[in-house]
mmCIF file of all heavy atoms in Angstrom:
data_model
loop_
_atom_site.group_PDB
_atom_site.id
_atom_site.type_symbol
_atom_site.label_atom_id
_atom_site.label_comp_id
_atom_site.label_asym_id
_atom_site.label_seq_id
_atom_site.Cartn_x
_atom_site.Cartn_y
_atom_site.Cartn_z
ATOM 1 N N ILE B 233 7.059 42.316 -7.152
ATOM 2 C CA ILE B 233 7.157 43.597 -7.852
ATOM 3 C C ILE B 233 7.236 44.735 -6.857
ATOM 4 O O ILE B 233 7.977 45.739 -7.028
ATOM 5 C CB ILE B 233 5.968 43.778 -8.831
ATOM 6 C CG1 ILE B 233 6.276 42.828 -10.019
ATOM 7 C CG2 ILE B 233 5.709 45.180 -9.275
ATOM 8 C CD1 ILE B 233 5.525 43.071 -11.256
ATOM 9 N N GLN B 234 6.453 44.621 -5.789
ATOM 10 C CA GLN B 234 6.523 45.685 -4.735
ATOM 11 C C GLN B 234 7.930 45.803 -4.173
ATOM 12 O O GLN B 234 8.440 46.871 -3.937
ATOM 13 C CB GLN B 234 5.511 45.408 -3.624
ATOM 14 C CG GLN B 234 4.111 45.617 -4.147
ATOM 15 C CD GLN B 234 2.979 45.393 -3.124
ATOM 16 O OE1 GLN B 234 1.924 45.928 -3.263
ATOM 17 N NE2 GLN B 234 3.238 44.635 -2.063
ATOM 18 N N ARG B 235 8.526 44.652 -3.928
ATOM 19 C CA ARG B 235 9.932 44.626 -3.453
ATOM 20 C C ARG B 235 10.825 45.318 -4.458
ATOM 21 O O ARG B 235 11.695 46.128 -4.058
ATOM 22 C CB ARG B 235 10.292 43.168 -3.264
ATOM 23 C CG ARG B 235 11.504 42.900 -2.420
ATOM 24 C CD ARG B 235 11.334 43.258 -0.954
ATOM 25 N NE ARG B 235 11.216 42.118 -0.114
ATOM 26 C CZ ARG B 235 11.097 42.197 1.218
ATOM 27 N NH1 ARG B 235 11.076 43.355 1.821
ATOM 28 N NH2 ARG B 235 11.026 41.169 1.941
ATOM 29 N N ASP B 236 10.617 45.094 -5.697
ATOM 30 C CA ASP B 236 11.469 45.692 -6.727
ATOM 31 C C ASP B 236 11.205 47.240 -6.791
ATOM 32 O O ASP B 236 12.136 48.038 -6.859
ATOM 33 C CB ASP B 236 11.158 45.052 -8.089
ATOM 34 C CG ASP B 236 12.232 45.391 -9.104
ATOM 35 O OD1 ASP B 236 12.227 46.493 -9.642
ATOM 36 O OD2 ASP B 236 13.156 44.563 -9.318
ATOM 37 N N ALA B 237 9.910 47.593 -6.725
ATOM 38 C CA ALA B 237 9.581 49.020 -6.767
ATOM 39 C C ALA B 237 10.216 49.748 -5.558
ATOM 40 O O ALA B 237 10.773 50.826 -5.699
ATOM 41 C CB ALA B 237 8.055 49.194 -6.737
ATOM 42 N N ASN B 238 10.165 49.128 -4.444
ATOM 43 C CA ASN B 238 10.644 49.678 -3.196
ATOM 44 C C ASN B 238 12.205 49.708 -3.156
ATOM 45 O O ASN B 238 12.769 50.483 -2.467
ATOM 46 C CB ASN B 238 10.104 48.901 -2.002
ATOM 47 C CG ASN B 238 10.070 49.703 -0.727
ATOM 48 O OD1 ASN B 238 10.033 50.939 -0.791
ATOM 49 N ND2 ASN B 238 10.106 49.044 0.398
ATOM 50 N N SER B 239 12.803 48.826 -3.991
ATOM 51 C CA SER B 239 14.272 48.805 -4.039
ATOM 52 C C SER B 239 14.768 49.844 -5.007
ATOM 53 O O SER B 239 15.604 50.647 -4.696
ATOM 54 C CB SER B 239 14.742 47.418 -4.508
ATOM 55 O OG SER B 239 14.239 46.407 -3.701
ATOM 56 N N ALA B 240 14.209 49.844 -6.253
ATOM 57 C CA ALA B 240 14.748 50.720 -7.282
ATOM 58 C C ALA B 240 14.143 52.134 -7.142
ATOM 59 O O ALA B 240 14.758 53.103 -7.556
ATOM 60 C CB ALA B 240 14.357 50.132 -8.673
ATOM 61 N N LYS B 241 12.971 52.196 -6.622
ATOM 62 C CA LYS B 241 12.217 53.496 -6.407
ATOM 63 C C LYS B 241 12.141 54.303 -7.708
ATOM 64 O O LYS B 241 12.304 55.573 -7.613
ATOM 65 C CB LYS B 241 12.919 54.309 -5.300
ATOM 66 C CG LYS B 241 12.970 53.487 -3.956
ATOM 67 C CD LYS B 241 13.173 54.420 -2.815
ATOM 68 C CE LYS B 241 13.528 53.665 -1.512
ATOM 69 N NZ LYS B 241 12.557 52.708 -0.971
ATOM 70 N N LYS B 242 11.923 53.671 -8.826
ATOM 71 C CA LYS B 242 11.865 54.520 -10.049
ATOM 72 C C LYS B 242 10.678 54.218 -10.987
ATOM 73 O O LYS B 242 10.482 54.933 -11.963
ATOM 74 C CB LYS B 242 13.184 54.382 -10.822
ATOM 75 C CG LYS B 242 13.492 52.953 -11.370
ATOM 76 C CD LYS B 242 14.728 52.970 -12.204
ATOM 77 C CE LYS B 242 15.074 51.571 -12.739
ATOM 78 N NZ LYS B 242 16.239 51.504 -13.548
ATOM 79 N N TYR B 243 9.894 53.167 -10.671
ATOM 80 C CA TYR B 243 8.754 52.873 -11.539
ATOM 81 C C TYR B 243 7.449 52.814 -10.818
ATOM 82 O O TYR B 243 7.368 52.401 -9.671
ATOM 83 C CB TYR B 243 8.913 51.464 -12.166
ATOM 84 C CG TYR B 243 10.082 51.365 -13.137
ATOM 85 C CD1 TYR B 243 11.019 50.347 -12.963
ATOM 86 C CD2 TYR B 243 10.191 52.191 -14.267
ATOM 87 C CE1 TYR B 243 12.099 50.199 -13.874
ATOM 88 C CE2 TYR B 243 11.206 52.027 -15.175
ATOM 89 C CZ TYR B 243 12.183 51.051 -14.948
ATOM 90 O OH TYR B 243 13.210 50.924 -15.850
ATOM 91 N N HIS B 245 4.272 50.612 -11.227
ATOM 92 C CA HIS B 245 3.886 49.355 -11.864
ATOM 93 C C HIS B 245 2.345 49.300 -11.917
ATOM 94 O O HIS B 245 1.667 49.364 -10.887
ATOM 95 C CB HIS B 245 4.379 48.170 -11.125
ATOM 96 C CG HIS B 245 5.890 48.042 -11.143
ATOM 97 N ND1 HIS B 245 6.544 47.387 -12.122
ATOM 98 C CD2 HIS B 245 6.827 48.589 -10.331
ATOM 99 C CE1 HIS B 245 7.853 47.434 -11.894
ATOM 100 N NE2 HIS B 245 8.066 48.169 -10.838
ATOM 101 N N ASN B 303 8.611 58.583 -6.404
ATOM 102 C CA ASN B 303 8.179 58.453 -7.762
ATOM 103 C C ASN B 303 7.982 57.007 -8.176
ATOM 104 O O ASN B 303 8.359 56.580 -9.232
ATOM 105 C CB ASN B 303 9.118 59.156 -8.739
ATOM 106 C CG ASN B 303 9.059 60.678 -8.614
ATOM 107 O OD1 ASN B 303 7.987 61.231 -8.844
ATOM 108 N ND2 ASN B 303 10.156 61.278 -8.252
ATOM 109 N N PHE B 304 7.376 56.243 -7.291
ATOM 110 C CA PHE B 304 7.176 54.824 -7.545
ATOM 111 C C PHE B 304 5.952 54.366 -6.796
ATOM 112 O O PHE B 304 5.450 55.018 -5.872
ATOM 113 C CB PHE B 304 8.414 54.000 -7.145
ATOM 114 C CG PHE B 304 8.613 53.989 -5.591
ATOM 115 C CD1 PHE B 304 8.066 52.932 -4.818
ATOM 116 C CD2 PHE B 304 9.289 54.999 -4.997
ATOM 117 C CE1 PHE B 304 8.254 52.975 -3.458
ATOM 118 C CE2 PHE B 304 9.447 55.017 -3.601
ATOM 119 C CZ PHE B 304 8.963 53.963 -2.814
ATOM 120 N N GLY B 305 5.448 53.218 -7.240
ATOM 121 C CA GLY B 305 4.266 52.633 -6.591
ATOM 122 C C GLY B 305 3.759 51.453 -7.338
ATOM 123 O O GLY B 305 4.288 51.090 -8.407
#
Side-chain angles (χ1 to χ4, degrees):
I233 285 198
Q234 289 183 157
R235 195 66 107 178
D236 195 281
N238 204 24
S239 304
K241 305 199 189 301
K242 64 176 180 181
Y243 292 126
H245 293 271
N303 288 301
F304 66 95

